[in-house]
Amino acid sequence: MCHNKRDSGLERGKVVFVNSIYTTLIKEKLYEYSNHPFLNKFFDLPEVSEDKIILLQAILDQTDLKMDVKEDYIMATMLIQTALDAHELVSNDSEDNININKNKRQKQLNILVGDLYSGLFYEILSHLDDIPMINVLAGAIKEINERKMILYKDNIHSINQLMEEVKSIESLLLNQVASHFDITSLDGITENWLLMKRLVKERDLYQQNGNSFILDVLTERIEEKDSIRMLENMITRIAHILETYIVHLPSELESLKSHLLHELKQIMKRQEILLEEG
């Protein structure tokens, strides 16, 4: 079974809604997949991105797929995202962990959980019988892992390259799903939104415990205070770019537009406060 890629939903006036209850249900289902007593004892699940679920829903709601099929695509994509996030925890583990054996066991568990999610992803897509989508996502996984190798093996040569690698890692899966179904309405929004949210997360991590991978990379090139200021300015600049994209979304995506603009307003308000304090 191969689903039609081209959808004329927006041309027919199909309205796309952002449904927070649906997003919560998807998150709960993803967590149910990992509800294993042994793993729960030793493994902290990667955080499930509500932003990615919402954007995937907006992409797939512009197709003619049935509701249960859309959910399977969202679940499959988010499962592989969780697998990638679990494997990423291996790359980010501290080398100077005091308890080496514990650290080694944690890495092994991260890989195990990542492989578990990968298996569930292939199981869902096999039921859909969409070989082209499997190939598309497999290609995205390969490219994401290649970009992570560049990022974590210190092969970054400029700040612009750093941002481009992070942007691609965060958005490749969703962009490939959109491309597979020939959905272009969110071009420019998905990658910038997810990059901005990743930078916000890195900033918050730094404020909470002084731990931020991106700031660590930046401080190898410039002073720490300048790195923080640069990160704040990047968030603000991307937010302004996003505002331009979002306000031009078609009326059929009004619900998504309202959701994104509301959250963007909160982020920009906080940015103004932080920049004034800085």
Side-chain angles (χ1 to χ4, degrees), residues 26-243:
I26 292 292
K27 285 183 69 176
E28 289 176 352
K29 286 189 177 185
L30 288 165
Y31 285 129
E32 283 175 13
Y33 272 102
S34 61
N35 187 21
H36 189 288
F38 176 77
L39 293 179
N40 292 344
K41 183 176 179 180
F42 296 105
F43 183 79
D44 292 328
L45 277 177
E47 181 181 353
V48 174
S49 169
E50 290 188 7
D51 292 289
K52 291 178 181 177
I53 296 174
I54 288 169
L55 291 168
L56 278 169
Q57 181 189 352
I59 290 166
L60 292 169
D61 277 353
Q62 296 174 64
T63 71
D64 287 323
L65 298 173
K66 294 181 180 179
M67 182 60 72
D68 59 335
V69 177
K70 291 178 192 174
E71 182 175 313
D72 282 342
Y73 277 112
I74 292 172
M75 287 294 295
T77 306
M78 291 306 298
L79 282 168
I80 205 62
Q81 181 66 64
T82 306
L84 289 164
D85 292 343
H87 284 154
E88 185 168 344
L89 294 176
V90 177
S91 302
N92 286 332
D93 270 346
S94 173
E95 293 296 332
D96 57 357
N97 193 308
I98 296 174
N99 190 334
I100 300 300
N101 289 330
K102 181 180 178 181
N103 191 37
K104 182 178 179 181
R105 181 177 63 183
Q106 187 65 48
K107 288 184 178 183
Q108 291 170 338
L109 284 168
N110 291 349
I111 293 171
L112 174 63
V113 173
D115 291 345
L116 169 65
Y117 278 111
S118 298
L120 292 168
F121 150 76
Y122 283 112
E123 180 183 348
I124 290 176
L125 283 187
S126 68
H127 293 157
L128 293 169
D129 194 24
D130 189 345
I131 302 302
M133 174 60 97
I134 293 176
N135 291 334
V136 163
L137 292 181
I141 293 165
K142 180 176 181 292
E143 184 174 346
I144 289 169
N145 284 327
E146 289 171 351
R147 290 181 179 275
K148 284 184 176 181
M149 287 294 290
I150 293 172
L151 201 59
Y152 297 125
K153 297 301 181 183
D154 198 26
N155 290 323
I156 297 296
H157 304 296
S158 69
I159 293 170
N160 284 339
Q161 184 193 4
L162 170 65
M163 291 300 109
E164 285 303 314
E165 297 297 347
V166 173
K167 180 191 287 187
S168 294
I169 288 168
E170 292 295 324
S171 61
L172 254 170
L173 277 178
L174 274 67
N175 281 341
Q176 292 288 37
V177 172
S179 178
H180 179 70
F181 291 106
D182 198 18
I183 302 297
T184 61
S185 55
L186 297 182
D187 285 0
I189 293 178
T190 298
E191 57 263 36
N192 281 297
W193 185 266
L194 295 177
L195 173 61
M196 179 188 68
K197 294 301 288 285
R198 172 65 184 269
L199 296 182
V200 168
K201 180 180 178 181
E202 293 284 327
R203 179 200 63 198
D204 292 346
L205 286 171
Y206 177 81
Q207 291 177 340
Q208 292 163 14
N209 54 33
N211 182 26
S212 163
F213 173 79
I214 289 177
L215 279 171
D216 287 345
V217 175
L218 289 175
T219 52
E220 292 175 0
R221 291 159 173 79
I222 56 179
E223 294 291 329
E224 183 176 6
K225 61 181 178 61
D226 295 328
S227 297
I228 298 167
R229 186 77 174 183
M230 177 178 286
L231 188 66
E232 296 287 1
N233 287 332
M234 285 178 182
I235 294 171
T236 301
R237 185 169 67 251
I238 296 168
H240 285 299
I241 292 170
L242 276 164
E243 187 175 26

